[in-house]
Amino acid sequence: MGRAQQEEVELHILGVEAAEGGSFTRQRNLMWWIRMAIYTIFVLVGQTAATLLGRLYYDKGGNSKWLAGLMLTAGFPVLVPFYFISSPLLQHPVSNNLQLSTYSLLCASQLAFNAFFSFFLNSLKFTFLIINSLTLLTISSILLIFQTNDSTASSDDGHPFSKRQYAIGFICTIAASALYGLLLSLTQWFLHKVAKKKTVKVVLDMIIYPSLVASCVIVVGLFASGEWKGLSKEMAGFKLGKVSYLMTLIWTAVCWEVFSVGSIGLIFEVSSVFSNVISTLGLPVVPVLAVAFFRDQMSGVKVLALILAVWGFVSYVYQHYYLDDHKAKIDSRNADAAAKAPIVGRNDVDENENKESN
């Protein structure tokens, strides 16, 4: 009887594992895909709109680095009303010289750092399609670096940047990229391993509290640097008027918060790397839209960057939401079959043991 009880325990464990293994696949129902679509739209629209508004701010007379940085985090109060939604979730500073080339470098290196840290912290598996996706997205971002004309870049005093200033800027950009990549990986680790409740409040906490701290630090820097003294003059000299100046700043802050919600949502539902992939996918969209809004020239490099970004995104999605899902379904069916198949044999053994005992 001891052997029969042991087999029964093993079968129970197999059944539980089979149910758990299939639950992840079953959770990817229609509502899950709707949430994924919403978060993806938030990331793409929020990032693109905020970047274009940031360029508008500088093109029309804005010049404050600290104020532009504050717009990245100061929009968090718009999320406070959502704290009253307690239902469970069903399963980068911009300155007047941080042109698209620098932002592209930040995003390209950030994706690589994020994948590197996720390999150790979140057990990211590197398959051929994943490597292909990360490579294509990185190349897409790098292409935008070379298509941008940096010959007109200058410092605040109007003089061209020196090689030393470019070197310092490059090192700071890479360091910021590495830290942000680590932050994304740690966010995934916290949401998937530490946070036990899958609620709206958890997602909001991950956005509001860091934004509050960052906003306080930036405000201190704004006053310590003395830039606040020139804000009134800057607003008065804004080419589109004072109202447009305020609306540009407000909507820039709101758009970055929309991006943050989408980014954290994708990390919550999938992974930090996937969230980063979506963000990098939207990067080539900015210069394409700039052709319409800022009369920039369209070039073959911009089109190629967009094509490579889409190719990389499709490669990532094909790996995770076709191959991996297909494999998960097969494993689930095999586990169910393995849990049910020995039942007949076990009943025969129990009957024989009962006959021998009689």
Side-chain angles (χ1 to χ4, degrees), residues 97-137:
N97 294 311
L98 194 120
Q99 300 178 358
L100 181 60
S101 60
T102 309
Y103 187 65
S104 301
L105 173 62
L106 182 67
C107 291
S109 53
Q110 168 186 303
L111 182 60
F113 282 119
N114 184 203
F116 173 79
F117 290 124
S118 291
F119 175 77
F120 294 100
L121 292 175
N122 303 309
S123 302
L124 175 66
K125 296 180 180 179
F126 287 101
T127 64
F128 171 77
L129 289 175
I130 294 299
I131 295 175
N132 179 65
S133 172
L134 298 178
T135 302
L136 290 173
L137 288 166

Side-chain angles (χ1 to χ4, degrees), residues 24 57 70 94 125 135 191 194 199 205 208 224 238 240 311-312 326:
F24 182 72
Y57 167 74
L70 184 61
V94 182
K125 296 180 180 179
T135 302
L191 289 175
V194 179
T199 62
D205 287 344
I208 291 178
F238 196 67
L240 300 179
W311 184 6
H326 184 66

Side-chain angles (χ1 to χ4, degrees), residues 28 124-125 130 270-271 274 315-325:
R28 290 181 177 176
L124 175 66
K125 296 180 180 179
I130 294 299
V270 189
S271 69
F274 182 75
S315 179
Y316 192 97
V317 170
Y318 181 76
Q319 171 66 56
H320 276 278
Y321 303 111
Y322 179 77
L323 296 182
D324 289 354
D325 267 7

Side-chain angles (χ1 to χ4, degrees), residues 164-237:
R164 179 174 178 273
Q165 288 175 315
Y166 269 117
I168 294 175
F170 179 83
I171 294 173
C172 291
T173 300
I174 296 298
S177 176
L179 288 175
Y180 189 67
L182 176 60
L183 176 63
L184 290 176
S185 298
L186 288 174
T187 300
Q188 177 185 343
W189 176 81
F190 175 82
L191 289 175
H192 291 186
K193 301 293 180 63
V194 179
K196 301 300 182 182
K197 297 181 180 180
K198 295 184 177 181
T199 62
V200 174
K201 184 178 182 300
V202 172
V203 175
L204 294 178
D205 287 344
M206 295 297 296
I207 300 174
I208 291 178
Y209 289 117
S211 296
L212 175 62
V213 174
S215 297
C216 292
V217 173
I218 294 174
V219 168
V220 171
L222 177 64
F223 282 91
S225 66
E227 279 193 1
W228 66 275
K229 298 178 182 179
L231 294 182
S232 298
K233 181 179 178 181
E234 179 180 291
M235 182 171 62

Side-chain angles (χ1 to χ4, degrees), residues 131-154:
I131 295 175
N132 179 65
S133 172
L134 298 178
T135 302
L136 290 173
L137 288 166
T138 301
I139 294 175
S140 171
S141 301
I142 292 175
L143 284 176
L144 296 177
I145 298 174
F146 293 106
Q147 69 89 33
T148 305
N149 183 11
D150 286 340
S151 60
T152 59
S154 59

Side-chain angles (χ1 to χ4, degrees), residues 25 32 51 76 91 115-116 120 149 153 158 180 205 239 294 298:
T25 302
W32 185 87
T51 305
F76 68 89
Q91 322 267 82
F116 173 79
F120 294 100
N149 183 11
Y180 189 67
D205 287 344
K239 296 179 182 178
F294 297 101
M298 176 59 74

